[in-house]
Amino acid sequence: MEMSQTDGRMEGWLYTIRHNRFGLQFSRKRYFVLLDDNLKSFRSVPSDQNEEPYRRASLDCCIRVTDNGRESFNRKVLFIFTLYNTTNHLDQLKLGASSPEEAAKWIRSLQDASQKKFPFPDCEFVSHAEKGLVKFNVSRRSRRKNSVDWTNYSSLNVETIAPDVIAPSPWKIFGCQNGLRLFKEAKDWDSRGRHWDDHPAIMAVGVIDGTSENIFNTLMSFGPLRSEWDFSFYKGSVVEHLDGHTDIINVQLYSDWLPWGMNRRDLLLRRYWRREEDGTYVILCHSVYHKDCPPKKGYVRACVKSGGYVVTPVNKAKQSLVKHMVAIDWRSWNLYTGASSSRSITIRVVERLAALREMFKAKQGHGFTEFVSGEFMDTKSCVSNINTGPLKIAAKRVDLELVKAEDMEKPSSARNSLMDLNDASDEFFDVPEPSEFDSFIDNSPISQGHSQLKIPSPAGIVKKLQDLAINKKGYMDLQEVGMDEKTTFFYGATLQKDPNLTLPCSWATADPSTFLIRGENYLQDQQKVKAKDTMMQMIGADWISSDKREDDLGGRLGGVVQEFAAKGGPEFFFIVNMQAPGSAMYSLALYYMLKTPLEDHPLLHSFVNGDDAYRNSRFKLIPHISKGSWIVKQSVGKKACLVGQALVVRYTRGKNYLELDIDVGSSTVARGVTNLVLGYLNNLVIEMAFLIQANTVEELPELLLGTCRLNYLDASKSVKER
C-alpha cells in the first residue's frame, strides 16, 4: 500500500475498523492525510491540497495512540492502532495498516502531531455539527508553570538503542556451522567450560539479506513459503487469538529429520511479538496447556521452555541480524536419545536459520506477500476432533469481535470528535482493492457480509460478553500458580526485606552503578554514565493481589505513609505502584522516602507539582532481569522507557506523598510481556531503577530517584486484598 511522508505531512491508505449494527467488526479502506495537527479522511486520493475531505479531526495533547498488533479481516492481515481521547475513552478511532512498518510510521507521526501542537493539559473536546469538523478547546485557565515543553520533544526519543544496564552477556560461543555462530547460555558452563545442561538454551546467529519486516512476516507465517526453509515443519495452526500481539499456536513436526525410531513431535506454544523503535522484531514462544488442543494420537508433545527470534535491521536496513534461540525438552525416554542426542536435535532446529538465509538469498527479497495466507483462520487442526459443543466455537479464531454493550446502545448522533471520522454509511461503501475492481459489483460488501459472516444468536452474544467480563482464557502457562489468602496487613510492609539477597519473595536495593543515565554533557556528546547514588531511600514494598485495581495505597490508613503523616515530619514519599493483570490483579508497590526538603531538588519538585502531561513526558523506568530465562530477559529488555508515553498512569498527590498507579494492562504489548513474566516469576531476580528525565543543561546530569531488587517473587505469597 503506497504511503508518503514529508516534513509535517503523512498520507496513505489505511483501513478504518468499526462495528456494524450487529456488533460485528468490519473494515473500510480510506485515504488519510495528516498535516500538522489535522487528520483528514478521503474516499479516494485527493486531486489537490484544497480538496474538501470526507471527514476530518484535529489532534491535541488529549489524544493517545496505542499499538494493537495484528488482526485478520476477510483473510487479510492488518496491523491495528487506535487513537483515543484520554478524557473520554469511548471517543476513539481504530485504524489498520497493511504492514507493521506502515503502522509504526503512522503511530509515530500521530504521536508527534498530538503532542507538539497543543501542550496544554486542560483541554476538552467541543463537537460541531459541521460535517465531521471537530475542534479542541483549551481551558481558559492559565498554563501551569510545569507543563511539558514540547520544544524539546524531538530529543525525547532519539536516544541510542544501546542498553541502559551494565550486565555480562548470558551467552558463550561453542561453535560455528553452516555460516552460523552457535551459542549456549553461560549458566550451562562449568569452570572448565565443558558442562551442558540436560536441556540447554541454544542460539544461532546469522545475517540475512532481507528487511526485518519481510523476515518477520516469513517467520510468523504458516503458509506454503514455510516449506521452503523450515525442514522440521509439517503443519501449523492458530488455536486461539488472544490479542494483536499474542496467540496460541500448534505446530506439528516432521519425523524424518529426527533420530530413527523417535516418534513424531508437536508443540503447543504461546507466541508473542513486538516491534522495537529501531525496527527490531522480537518473537517469543513458550509451551502452554490449552483445553481445546490436547496431545494428538501418534505425537509426543515436546516442551519449549523458551524460544524465539530477534530480527534487527543492519546495513541501512538492507540486511538483518537474526538470532534464533530454543531451549526444549523433547520428552524422550529412550536410551538412544540421551542428553547428547537431545542436544544435537536442538542444534539442528536452530540451524533452520541457515535455510532461511539461503531462501532469502535465492528469492532476492521477492515473494513474501503470501504471509497473509489465512493462518488466523486455520484453527481446525486442534478443535475439529473435540466434541465440546459451544467451546468448539469459542476456541476458533473469531475474526469479528462483539462491540461493548454500551457502544451498541449508544446512538450514532452522540458520537463526536475522533468518531466523526467514522460514518454509518461506511458500513455499505468501501474502496475496492486494485485486484478486486473488475469484480467489485459482484462481490460487494453487502453480499459478502451475508455470505461469509455468521451473525451470532442473542445467547451467543450474552455468553461472549460474560466471558469478556470475567477475562476468561482457555490456556494456562505451565508455570502458573495459585494464590493464598490473608486478611490484614500493614501497607508498605507486606513484602519482606532481605539485604543479604538469600530469601525468596523479598526485596532489596539494587546497585545504582548497574544503570546508565545521562551525563553532564549529554546534550553535546549523547553519552551516558554509570549512576553513582540515589536521591531517595527505599523503605518498603507491597505485593498484593485483588479482584480489582488497588489505587492510592499511600493514602490508606494503617500504612507507612500515613504513619509518618500523623507525626507531622518533613519526610516526603514517592510510591510506584505497578498494577499487572493476571489470574488476579497484582499490585507491586515500591515506597521511597526523601528526608531532605522537596524544594532542595528542583527537578523532582517540578515533577511532583507539575501536571500529568509534564509527568508523562519525564518519568522513566530502567528494567533489568539479572537472573532468569532468556525469553524473559529478551521480552523485558534493558532499555529505559518513558512510562507515561506507553502506559496509562494515574497520579495521586497527597499531603506528604506522590503515588504513580501504573496500569500495565493498558497496553497490549506490555500486557504480553507481563503475562510472560508472571509465568516465570518465582525463577526471576528483577532489578529496576526510576528517574526523572533531564532535558536541559540546567537539569543535567540525571540522578536516580531509587532502585530496587526483587528476589524470586511468588504469586502464591502475594497478600490478598479484600
Side-chain angles (χ1 to χ4, degrees):
M1 185 177 295
E2 294 183 359
M3 180 187 67
S4 63
Q5 184 176 15
T6 57
D7 293 340
R9 184 183 178 91
M10 179 85 172
E11 59 183 300
W13 289 101
L14 293 173
Y15 294 85
T16 60
I17 313 299
R18 295 189 55 224
H19 294 91
N20 63 17
R21 64 191 65 186
F22 303 111
L24 304 177
Q25 280 194 139
F26 65 93
S27 63
R28 289 294 174 259
K29 188 178 179 181
R30 295 291 179 263
Y31 194 86
F32 280 84
V33 176
L34 176 64
L35 181 61
D36 296 328
D37 64 312
N38 294 307
L39 181 62
K40 302 176 182 179
S41 171
F42 301 84
R43 284 186 168 178
S44 61
V45 180
S47 57
D48 60 70
Q49 296 185 359
N50 297 322
E51 181 176 337
E52 184 68 17
Y54 177 64
R55 297 282 168 190
R56 75 172 74 183
S58 295
L59 308 179
D60 75 351
C61 67
C62 296
I63 302 299
R64 298 284 290 273
V65 188
T66 59
D67 176 7
N68 301 118
R70 304 195 323 162
E71 297 284 349
S72 176
F73 294 88
N74 296 326
R75 301 184 70 85
K76 180 178 179 61
V77 174
L78 298 179
F79 294 84
I80 311 300
F81 53 96
T82 302
L83 289 81
Y84 69 92
N85 175 6
T86 56
T87 64
N88 176 15
H89 281 252
L90 294 179
D91 176 21
Q92 57 181 251
L93 176 65
K94 196 172 186 179
L95 300 172
S98 60
S99 76
E101 292 302 313
E102 286 184 16
K105 291 177 182 178
W106 274 105
I107 290 172
R108 173 53 60 199
S109 297
L110 290 166
Q111 288 174 337
D112 289 348
S114 64
Q115 294 169 336
K116 283 183 178 180
K117 183 64 178 178
F118 295 104
F120 301 96
D122 302 315
C123 53
E124 56 183 324
F125 289 96
V126 177
S127 178
H128 294 261
E130 184 181 345
K131 182 180 179 181
L133 176 61
V134 180
K135 295 182 180 179
F136 299 85
N137 284 0
V138 178
S139 172
R140 294 181 179 179
R141 288 175 290 177
S142 60
R143 178 179 176 179
R144 300 180 188 177
K145 178 181 178 181
N146 296 320
S147 184
V148 58
D149 179 10
W150 293 111
T151 59
N152 290 316
Y153 177 77
S154 59
S155 67
L156 298 183
N157 297 290
V158 297
E159 296 187 24
T160 61
I161 62 173
D164 291 320
V165 174
I166 300 175
S169 172
W171 298 99
K172 296 288 186 180
I173 191 168
F174 69 87
C176 185
Q177 194 167 325
N178 292 330
L180 303 175
R181 290 180 295 151
L182 300 177
F183 297 80
K184 66 176 180 177
E185 279 194 285
K187 68 181 181 63
D188 293 327
W189 293 77
D190 62 10
S191 59
R192 299 182 181 180
R194 296 181 300 184
H195 171 69
W196 285 83
D197 184 70
D198 290 340
H199 311 292
I202 306 294
M203 182 172 67
V205 181
V207 176
I208 296 178
D209 293 328
T211 65
S212 58
E213 179 184 6
N214 278 341
I215 296 173
F216 164 75
N217 290 332
T218 304
L219 294 173
M220 295 289 285
S221 173
F222 290 152
L225 189 64
R226 197 171 189 101
S227 63
E228 297 189 33
W229 67 274
D230 191 349
F231 54 80
S232 67
F233 177 84
Y234 168 60
K235 186 188 299 183
S237 62
V238 175
V239 178
E240 184 177 358
H241 183 68
L242 302 178
D243 58 48
H245 287 273
T246 311
D247 49 24
I248 306 297
I249 60 173
N250 178 239
V251 178
Q252 300 175 32
L253 305 179
Y254 276 118
S255 61
D256 54 3
W257 64 280
L258 296 172
W260 181 86
M262 187 174 178
N263 291 332
R264 292 179 294 179
R265 284 338 192 232
D266 81 329
L267 308 168
L268 185 63
L269 306 172
R270 181 181 184 273
R271 179 176 65 176
Y272 161 84
W273 75 274
R274 74 170 182 267
R275 181 189 181 276
E276 305 283 8
E277 285 290 328
D278 65 338
T280 294
Y281 288 89
V282 178
I283 304 173
L284 302 174
C285 300
H286 70 281
S287 286
V288 295
Y289 165 79
H290 197 286
K291 58 184 173 59
D292 292 328
C293 194
K296 298 178 177 59
K297 184 177 181 180
Y299 284 87
V300 174
R301 180 151 293 173
C303 177
V304 175
K305 297 180 178 180
S306 61
Y309 301 85
V310 179
V311 186
T312 304
V314 295
N315 191 19
K316 299 181 179 179
K318 296 178 181 178
Q319 295 178 305
S320 298
L321 178 68
V322 184
K323 301 176 182 178
H324 178 25
M325 180 273 181
V326 174
I328 183 170
D329 179 0
W330 291 100
R331 299 289 173 88
S332 179
W333 301 99
N334 295 333
L335 294 177
Y336 63 82
T337 54
S340 61
S341 180
S342 296
R343 183 168 65 245
S344 298
I345 298 173
T346 304
I347 292 174
R348 181 129 192 242
V349 167
V350 298
E351 287 179 349
R352 294 179 297 181
L353 196 59
L356 181 66
R357 179 193 63 209
E358 295 304 311
M359 185 192 71
F360 266 81
K361 187 180 298 183
K363 289 184 175 292
Q364 296 181 346
H366 300 291
F368 299 105
T369 57
E370 69 83 45
F371 81 95
V372 294
S373 57
E375 62 183 82
F376 281 104
M377 306 298 294
D378 183 14
T379 61
K380 297 180 180 179
S381 62
C382 273
V383 298
S384 60
N385 296 324
I386 303 175
N387 185 18
T388 56
L391 292 178
K392 185 175 180 181
I393 298 174
K396 294 183 179 180
R397 163 65 174 96
V398 181
D399 219 25
L400 305 169
E401 297 176 345
L402 294 172
V403 70
K404 293 181 179 179
E406 60 266 29
D407 292 346
M408 295 176 65
E409 297 172 358
K410 188 174 182 178
S412 58
S413 60
R415 296 178 179 177
N416 55 25
S417 56
L418 290 174
M419 298 187 71
D420 282 345
L421 282 169
N422 295 317
D423 182 60
S425 62
D426 287 348
E427 183 177 343
F428 303 105
F429 178 85
D430 193 16
V431 177
E433 298 290 349
S435 59
E436 302 172 347
F437 187 78
D438 294 336
S439 58
F440 176 56
I441 298 178
D442 296 331
N443 296 280
S444 66
I446 299 178
S447 62
Q448 288 181 357
H450 284 81
S451 62
Q452 296 181 7
L453 303 180
K454 182 178 180 181
I455 300 174
S457 65
I461 293 177
V462 172
K463 185 178 186 303
K464 178 75 173 178
L465 292 174
Q466 289 174 341
D467 289 350
L468 290 175
I470 64 175
N471 194 26
K472 183 180 292 182
K473 66 179 183 179
Y475 75 96
M476 180 184 298
D477 290 317
L478 299 185
Q479 303 88 350
E480 196 166 83
V481 294
M483 296 186 300
D484 291 333
E485 291 191 2
K486 295 185 179 180
T487 55
T488 60
F489 52 90
F490 182 71
Y491 290 104
T494 62
L495 191 65
Q496 62 182 333
K497 180 180 181 180
D498 178 27
N500 297 323
L501 312 178
T502 58
L503 296 177
C505 205
S506 62
W507 70 268
T509 56
D511 182 1
S513 64
T514 303
F515 304 95
L516 296 176
I517 57 178
R518 295 181 175 185
E520 187 173 1
N521 300 316
Y522 178 81
L523 297 181
Q524 288 74 39
D525 56 21
Q526 303 292 302
Q527 294 298 310
K528 293 189 175 183
V529 298
K530 289 183 180 181
K532 296 180 179 179
D533 201 355
T534 62
M535 184 187 305
M536 297 181 173
Q537 174 189 358
M538 185 173 180
I539 52 96
D542 282 327
W543 179 225
I544 302 170
S545 59
S546 176
D547 57 0
K548 64 183 187 303
R549 288 178 55 117
E550 298 295 338
D551 294 333
D552 193 16
L553 299 180
R556 302 189 182 188
L557 297 177
V560 60
V561 176
Q562 292 305 312
E563 184 181 74
F564 274 87
K567 297 177 181 179
E571 297 85 1
F572 185 84
F573 293 86
F574 191 93
I575 308 166
V576 181
N577 181 13
M578 289 175 283
Q579 302 164 329
S583 55
M585 178 64 76
Y586 294 98
S587 293
L588 174 64
L590 310 173
Y591 295 75
Y592 296 90
M593 183 174 67
L594 182 68
K595 293 184 177 181
T596 56
L598 185 62
E599 293 75 13
D600 292 349
H601 308 275
L603 187 56
L604 178 60
H605 184 271
S606 297
F607 182 87
V608 169
N609 296 297
D611 54 51
D612 288 356
Y614 176 81
R615 293 164 175 165
N616 287 336
S617 70
R618 292 300 189 100
F619 180 67
K620 195 154 62 173
L621 159 68
I622 307 177
H624 175 41
I625 305 296
S626 57
K627 291 185 180 180
S629 170
W630 171 87
I631 189 173
V632 181
K633 291 181 178 180
Q634 188 63 57
S635 67
V636 173
K638 296 183 288 187
K639 189 72 182 122
C641 171
L642 285 168
V643 178
Q645 301 296 325
L647 301 172
V648 174
V649 183
R650 292 181 175 88
Y651 300 90
T652 302
R653 177 70 163 94
K655 177 182 178 182
N656 65 330
Y657 71 95
L658 176 69
E659 180 170 332
L660 286 68
D661 297 315
I662 303 172
D663 183 5
V664 179
S666 60
S667 162
T668 57
V669 177
R671 190 162 58 244
V673 173
T674 302
N675 289 336
L676 187 63
V677 170
L678 287 174
Y680 291 84
L681 194 59
N682 55 1
N683 293 313
L684 302 178
V685 174
I686 305 170
E687 297 183 10
M688 290 182 286
F690 306 99
L691 67 155
I692 300 171
Q693 181 167 275
N695 289 340
T696 65
V697 175
E698 294 76 19
E699 295 170 345
L700 290 169
E702 290 179 332
L703 179 62
L704 295 181
L705 296 178
T707 66
C708 74
R709 174 187 167 107
L710 305 168
N711 305 308
Y712 309 109
L713 290 180
D714 191 337
S716 66
K717 295 182 179 179
S718 60
V719 177
K720 180 67 175 179
E721 171 67 280
R722 293 184 181 274

